[in-house]
Amino acid sequence: MALVGTDKDMSFYIGREASKQLWKRFCAEVTTEINLLAENWKYLLGGLICQYIHGLAARGVHYFHRPGPILQDVGFYLLPELGQDRAYISETVFTTIFLSFVMWTFHPFIFKTKKIYTVLIWCRVLAFLVGCQFLRIITFYSTQLPGPNYHCREGSKLATLPPPDNILQALLIVPRGVLYGCGDLIFSSHMIFSLVFVRTYQKYGTRRFIKQCAWLAVIAQSFLIIASRKHYTVDVVVAWYTVNLVIFFIDKTLPELPDRTSALLLPVTKDSKSKEENHKLLNGNSGDPAEWRPRTQINGKIVEDGKTLHEAVINGV
């Protein structure tokens, strides 16, 4: 009985200490991210404002949309139509990609091993999104195509929008307008978000299996968008090469993210113990000196789990 009681006390102690470490790690991460936010809030705010402008532009082109016969499309010929009752499938895939990426960007607040800073990764993501959306606005305002989606076809009350009664109505973006928009076709906004998110995780993520699943999900989403008749095939094809080119060029102009996974091998002194503890909380190193090893970053790309240093160096050359 005494032994059982000892085991329970030990389990309770371990659980309590783990909770304390998690809370300390969370607080340390919050402090770090607040400092980064204070330095980079202008970029985040600018990116969010551009998201609003993009939404406003997409709603604005709906006023010019005129329904008409669906254009001849090779994707429509090759892929069977899912129908309105199964159109949710493509949205489910997109929502999974979107939420998974958002949760991953906030993992440094919880997990011990961390590779990125949340504020800095979102600054980079917003830069990619703004570049792609700027080109998208120019494209779909240049030529308005008759929408292939069900609510954009002839006979649908949602295919056209009456002129706004006042300036507030023109500037207000409602969820219904986002879901039932027409005219903003070339190129697909869903593909912009998905490709930006997957490309970012491809560079800064560490799980090879998740990377492979993410690319498969984007490919599946491409076919589902066409099968759902939400976009023409050209909208998806243009998104594939435009988004990748925009990311390639913008990524070269932006400064590389700092590698927070490398630990400096410094002697432990009485004055440095608090700094050492804070460093461990932020970067996920344990107190064992054997684990004080730099985790490699090659050309700004985090080495994936399962790769050795030798393999990483070979691939980085």
Side-chain angles (χ1 to χ4, degrees):
M1 294 295 293
L3 182 60
V4 173
T6 303
D7 292 340
K8 289 182 178 181
D9 293 340
M10 182 61 68
S11 300
F12 175 77
Y13 174 78
I14 294 175
R16 186 176 62 179
E17 289 300 315
S19 300
K20 287 182 179 180
Q21 288 298 318
L22 178 61
W23 177 248
K24 289 181 180 179
R25 190 159 60 242
F26 177 80
C27 293
E29 190 67 28
V30 168
T31 302
T32 301
E33 295 291 349
I34 287 177
N35 292 333
L36 290 173
L37 183 61
E39 298 174 1
N40 299 278
W41 67 270
K42 294 180 180 179
Y43 304 109
L44 292 175
L45 180 61
L48 293 176
I49 292 175
C50 288
Q51 297 307 300
Y52 169 75
I53 295 174
H54 173 256
L56 202 63
R59 178 173 173 80
V61 79
H62 196 166
Y63 291 109
F64 300 101
H65 178 258
R66 294 296 177 266
I70 298 177
L71 303 179
Q72 185 175 351
D73 189 283
V74 65
F76 293 177
Y77 176 77
L78 296 176
L79 295 175
E81 189 170 350
L82 288 178
Q84 286 182 282
D85 56 335
R86 289 181 290 181
Y88 69 90
I89 298 177
S90 64
E91 289 297 328
T92 302
V93 175
F94 172 74
T95 303
T96 302
I97 296 173
F98 189 95
L99 295 180
S100 299
F101 180 80
V102 171
M103 289 189 293
W104 171 73
T105 60
F106 285 93
H107 82 272
F109 289 90
I110 304 298
F111 292 97
K112 184 177 181 180
T113 303
K114 48 201 75 179
K115 312 292 184 182
I116 60 170
Y117 293 100
T118 301
V119 169
L120 298 183
I121 202 72
W122 275 108
C123 287
R124 207 173 194 85
V125 167
L126 287 172
F128 297 151
L129 292 176
V130 170
C132 295
Q133 290 165 345
F134 174 76
L135 296 177
R136 182 173 188 259
I137 292 173
I138 295 176
T139 305
F140 64 64
Y141 267 103
S142 300
T143 303
Q144 287 87 46
L145 302 178
N149 210 337
Y150 302 102
H151 63 269
C152 299
R153 299 178 183 180
E154 293 177 315
S156 173
K157 296 180 179 180
L158 301 174
T160 58
L161 283 180
D165 297 329
N166 50 63
I167 188 65
L168 180 61
Q169 186 178 356
L171 297 178
L172 184 63
I173 300 177
V174 295
R176 182 179 178 83
V178 175
L179 295 175
Y180 294 99
C182 297
D184 56 326
L185 292 174
I186 302 177
F187 40 98
S188 171
S189 181
H190 283 60
M191 292 303 301
I192 291 177
F193 279 92
S194 297
L195 286 171
V196 167
F197 291 169
V198 173
R199 281 289 303 265
T200 302
Y201 186 80
Q202 176 69 31
K203 182 174 183 180
Y204 298 106
T206 59
R207 304 290 182 179
R208 185 183 302 180
F209 176 73
I210 296 180
K211 294 179 182 181
Q212 294 170 347
C213 290
W215 282 113
L216 290 175
V218 175
I219 294 172
Q221 179 184 283
S222 302
F223 290 110
L224 288 171
I225 288 175
I226 299 171
S228 300
R229 304 301 189 252
K230 295 180 178 179
H231 278 278
Y232 292 108
T233 304
V234 65
D235 307 337
V236 176
V237 172
V238 171
W240 267 98
Y241 64 76
T242 303
V243 175
N244 281 289
L245 286 173
V246 169
I247 293 175
F248 175 78
F249 286 109
I250 292 182
D251 190 59
K252 283 185 171 295
T253 62
L254 295 176
E256 189 50 65
L257 296 184
D259 178 18
R260 71 181 304 181
T261 61
S262 297
L264 296 176
L265 303 183
L266 299 175
V268 179
T269 63
K270 183 177 181 180
D271 297 333
S272 66
K273 283 185 179 180
S274 59
K275 293 183 179 180
E276 174 197 336
E277 182 180 357
N278 185 58
H279 181 80
K280 288 186 291 183
L281 289 171
L282 286 176
N283 295 332
N285 293 324
S286 70
D288 187 358
E291 295 190 11
W292 287 12
R293 61 189 184 280
R295 297 181 179 89
T296 309
Q297 185 178 16
I298 301 298
N299 294 332
K301 182 175 181 179
I302 303 297
V303 176
E304 298 174 359
D305 288 357
K307 279 190 177 182
T308 63
L309 177 61
H310 178 68
E311 290 172 338
V313 173
I314 292 176
N315 294 334
V317 174

